[in-house]
Amino acid sequence: MTYQRDAEKRDNGLAHRVLAKRLALAEQEVVKWLSQRNLLPSPDVVARAAAHPDGLEWLERSLQALEGERLFLGLGDLVPEPIEPRPVVHAATGELPPVIIRRQIERTRADGKLQNYVALFNDRFRTLSRLVRRDPAMRDAIGLRQLEQEGEHSVVGIVAEVRPLTGRRMRVVLEDPDSRLAVMFNEPEEGSLDIFPDEVIGVSGRLSRRGDLLFVNGPVIRPHQGRLREPGRAEEPWTALFISDLHIGSGTFQRAAWDRFVAWLNGDVDYNQEWIPRPGYLVLAGDVVDGIDSYPNQETDLEITDVWEQYAVLQRELEKLPTDIQVIILPGNHDAVRLMEPQLPLPARVQERFPPSVIFTANPALLDLAGVNVLCYHGKSFDDIVGLCDLTYDKPLLMMKELLQRRHLAPVYGGKTPLAPEDQDHMLIREMPDIFVTGHVHSCGVEPYHATLLLNPGTWQSQTDFQRMMGFQPDPNRAIAVNLQSFETQVLDFNS
C-alpha cells in the first residue's frame, strides 16, 4: 500500500513536470503550488487561478473547504471566485437617490461543460450548507462518509431523490461532495414535509445496523433566515411602484386599463394621487411583451406578431410617462432573452430604443432603491414548486415564502425552469431582502413575511386559452405602491 502511494506520487510529480513545460510563468506558479500539496489540477483550474489576481489565496480557501483527500482538482472543487459583485450605480431622474444594482449576472460563463454543472451545484451546496449549520441543531453535523453506527448523528446534504412510501413514510437520498445516504422520514399527522429535489437540508437521526439508512427523529432544518432585523428604510418618503406582466403585443393586453394607469401617473385621474411617484421608481418585473413562440399556438393570440415591434410599442408607451419617474425593467420568460435562468438584461437591440434614463437589469437582480434592498425575480420557478406542495397559482405569496425558506429562487433542477450551468449559482438568495417582488402567475398579493415585504403585482393581460389550461386566473390591471420610508403599501386598481 505504501509502495502504491509512493508510485502515485511519482506519477503525479511526472505529470506536473510535463504540464508545467506547456504553461506560462503564472500558470507554472499555480502548478508548483498545487504540486507541493500533491494535487494534480485540470487545465481549466490552472488557467482560471493564474488569471486571477488572488489565485493562490483562492486555491487555499478552496482546499480548506474540501472534505477528504484529493488527488485531482477540478473546477467543481473550487469555491466561488473571491470577488464580490461590484455594485453598478445608475443616476436616477431628478432628486431621486441612484438605483444601485447590488447583485446580478453580468456575463454568462455557461459553456455546457460538465465542470460548470459541478461548480454550480458545489456553490449551491457550500453556500446553503453553511446556512443550515448556523442552526444550533446542525452545528455538530458531520459528512456523510464519516457516519458511524453508534449514537445520534446530524448530517447536511442536498436532496438527490424523494420517494413517498406507504404508511406516511418518505425515503430521501442525500448527497454531499463525498458520499450518498438514504434517510427515512415519518410524515407528520397534519401537513407534509414538502421536501423538494435539489434543496439543501439538515437532519438528525440514528443509523441502521447495516449503516446504509438514517432514521430521522427530528425536524428538517433548512438554511438559516438570518438574524432578526429591521428592514432597510429610505431617509425620505420616496415611492416605488411595482407592476408586472404587461404582455404588450397580446390581443388580450388590457389597453383601456393601461391608458388609465398612464393618465393617473400624469396626474389626470382623481384617484389616490398621493401615491403617484413624482419623483419615484417604477419597476417592471418581467414579461413586458408577449413575445413569440412562448407557448403552443400563441400566434392566434397575438395582435403584434413581430417581437421587436412589441418592444417599440412599449418604448412609445413609456415615453408617455413623466420624466421624473425612474423606470427599471427586468426580463421574464416571454421576453427576448434566453429561457435559461439567470437571464441577462434585454439585448442592446431592445435597449437602444429607449432613452438612457431607463435601467435594464438581469433576472434575478438585487437592487438598492434609496437604501432599501429589493430582490426582483420574475418567478418562472413557480411552475416547478406549484406541483410539489399544496399550492396554487392564485397564491403566489405562499410560493415566495417557500423560496425564501430554501434561500433559493429556483431550487428544483431539471423541471420546467431551465437553469444555465454557470460556474456559480446566481439563483441563491445570499442575503434576505427588504422587499421581494415577483410576477409570472398573474395574481396580485402583498404581505409582510418576517422582515421582508412580499409583492406580486399581477398582470395587464386578460386570460388566454393557454392560461386557462394552465390554471392561471388573472388578477389584472393593478399596481402596488410602497412608501420606502414607512413601508406602507397600497394596491391600486385600474380596472374602472
Side-chain angles (χ1 to χ4, degrees):
M1 202 61 185
T2 302
Y3 173 81
Q4 182 179 0
R5 284 197 299 269
D6 291 340
E8 288 177 350
K9 289 181 180 180
R10 287 195 300 272
D11 292 341
N12 193 8
L14 177 61
H16 277 301
R17 289 193 295 274
V18 172
L19 179 61
K21 291 180 181 179
R22 299 159 53 189
L23 299 176
L25 185 62
E27 294 176 323
Q28 291 181 28
E29 184 180 6
V30 170
V31 172
K32 179 180 178 181
W33 190 89
L34 290 169
S35 178
Q36 292 170 347
R37 289 153 180 81
N38 294 318
L39 285 166
L40 179 65
S42 71
D44 288 335
V45 166
V46 175
R48 189 72 65 83
H52 197 284
D54 299 312
L56 296 184
E57 181 181 337
W58 177 25
L59 290 173
E60 181 68 39
R61 281 200 291 269
S62 298
L63 298 188
Q64 291 173 355
L66 290 175
E67 296 184 5
E69 295 184 357
R70 291 284 197 283
L71 177 60
F72 299 99
L73 192 71
L75 277 180
D77 297 316
L78 302 183
V79 299
E81 292 187 39
I83 299 178
E84 278 297 304
R86 291 173 295 179
V88 180
V89 180
H90 294 270
T93 59
E95 300 176 354
L96 274 177
V99 174
I100 303 174
I101 303 176
R102 293 192 54 207
R103 188 182 293 273
Q104 69 171 2
I105 185 172
E106 297 179 354
R107 61 187 178 91
T108 182
R109 288 179 171 172
D111 57 12
K113 293 182 179 179
L114 176 62
Q115 294 95 323
N116 283 67
Y117 288 95
V118 174
L120 176 73
F121 278 95
N122 277 349
D123 186 24
R124 177 187 297 203
F125 179 76
R126 289 188 185 114
T127 302
L128 295 183
S129 63
R130 283 196 295 266
L131 291 171
V132 170
R133 291 172 189 271
R134 287 179 61 182
D135 189 290
M138 288 292 118
R139 286 177 182 164
D140 295 326
I142 59 177
L144 300 182
R145 183 178 287 178
Q146 299 171 292
L147 288 176
E148 298 177 357
Q149 290 188 4
E150 297 297 325
E152 296 283 318
H153 300 285
S154 297
V155 296
V156 179
I158 189 168
V159 176
E161 299 175 20
V162 180
R163 183 169 22 140
L165 303 175
T166 59
R168 298 190 61 80
R169 295 180 303 156
M170 178 183 293
R171 185 181 185 273
V172 172
V173 176
L174 297 180
E175 290 183 341
D176 68 9
D178 297 309
S179 190
R180 289 166 61 98
L181 176 70
V183 299
M184 186 70 70
F185 293 91
N186 289 316
E187 291 269 18
E189 291 297 326
E190 296 183 3
S192 61
L193 294 171
D194 293 334
I195 295 177
F196 292 0
D198 306 309
E199 70 166 308
V200 177
I201 61 174
V203 295
S204 299
R206 185 174 290 274
L207 204 61
S208 67
R209 290 184 178 179
R210 295 176 57 183
D212 58 354
L213 184 65
L214 185 74
F215 293 94
V216 176
N217 55 19
V220 175
I221 305 299
R222 291 195 163 91
H224 199 269
Q225 300 295 295
R227 296 178 180 176
L228 295 176
R229 60 180 177 82
E230 287 293 323
R233 302 293 176 96
E235 295 182 358
E236 301 290 336
W238 307 111
T239 296
L241 202 61
F242 298 88
I243 62 176
S244 184
D245 293 82
L246 277 64
H247 289 277
I248 286 178
S250 170
T252 58
F253 171 61
Q254 299 286 279
R255 164 61 64 181
W258 175 259
D259 288 343
R260 281 191 291 274
F261 174 64
V262 172
W264 174 76
L265 286 173
N266 283 281
D268 298 332
V269 177
D270 186 16
Y271 170 66
N272 284 309
Q273 290 197 348
E274 69 276 12
W275 286 102
I276 299 175
R278 300 288 304 274
Y281 306 95
L282 175 61
V283 177
L284 282 63
D287 281 4
V288 292
V289 302
D290 206 44
I292 58 174
D293 296 327
S294 298
Y295 59 88
N297 301 316
Q298 183 188 11
E299 62 275 7
T300 63
D301 296 331
L302 289 176
E303 184 179 75
I304 304 172
T305 56
D306 184 329
V307 67
W308 309 118
E309 180 59 26
Q310 293 175 10
Y311 285 109
V313 172
L314 173 66
Q315 175 259 322
R316 292 194 290 270
E317 292 300 320
L318 295 183
E319 280 187 344
K320 300 175 184 178
L321 305 186
T323 57
D324 56 356
I325 295 178
Q326 178 62 64
V327 177
I328 304 164
I329 301 175
L330 66 146
N333 56 293
H334 278 252
D335 284 297
V337 293
R338 70 181 186 185
L339 188 58
M340 291 189 298
E341 294 182 353
Q343 295 172 311
L344 295 166
L346 291 171
R349 180 175 178 177
V350 172
Q351 295 190 30
E352 65 189 12
R353 296 177 177 270
F354 294 79
S357 59
V358 176
I359 297 172
F360 295 88
T361 76
N363 173 42
L366 180 63
L367 309 179
D368 180 330
L369 302 183
V372 177
N373 285 333
V374 182
L375 178 59
C376 304
Y377 172 55
H378 180 63
K380 181 68 172 68
S381 68
F382 292 161
D383 295 339
D384 290 306
I385 68 175
V386 72
L388 296 175
C389 300
D390 186 19
L391 300 171
T392 56
Y393 282 119
D394 62 341
K395 296 180 179 178
L397 303 184
L398 293 179
M399 291 190 277
M400 295 169 72
K401 294 176 185 178
E402 296 290 341
L403 299 184
L404 288 176
Q405 289 168 12
R406 289 160 178 81
R407 299 291 292 267
H408 204 281
L409 295 171
V412 179
Y413 181 82
K416 297 178 180 179
T417 307
L419 299 177
E422 303 291 342
D423 59 357
Q424 62 177 294
D425 194 340
H426 295 275
M427 308 304 288
L428 286 164
I429 304 175
R430 296 181 186 270
E431 57 184 287
M432 297 298 282
D434 302 318
I435 296 175
F436 180 24
V437 58
T438 60
H440 187 60
V441 295
H442 295 195
S443 293
C444 183
V446 182
E447 182 183 339
Y449 177 67
H450 301 313
T452 300
L453 179 63
L454 307 182
L455 310 174
N456 192 300
T459 184
W460 295 82
Q461 179 187 38
S462 60
Q463 191 180 52
T464 65
D465 291 339
F466 182 75
Q467 291 168 6
R468 187 177 299 110
M469 180 184 69
M470 292 292 294
F472 279 35
Q473 297 292 333
D475 205 1
N477 310 325
R478 288 172 168 82
I480 300 176
V482 180
N483 182 314
L484 296 178
Q485 184 182 56
S486 67
F487 267 45
E488 183 182 356
T489 64
Q490 179 67 47
V491 177
L492 303 161
D493 187 340
F494 295 93
N495 280 290
S496 60

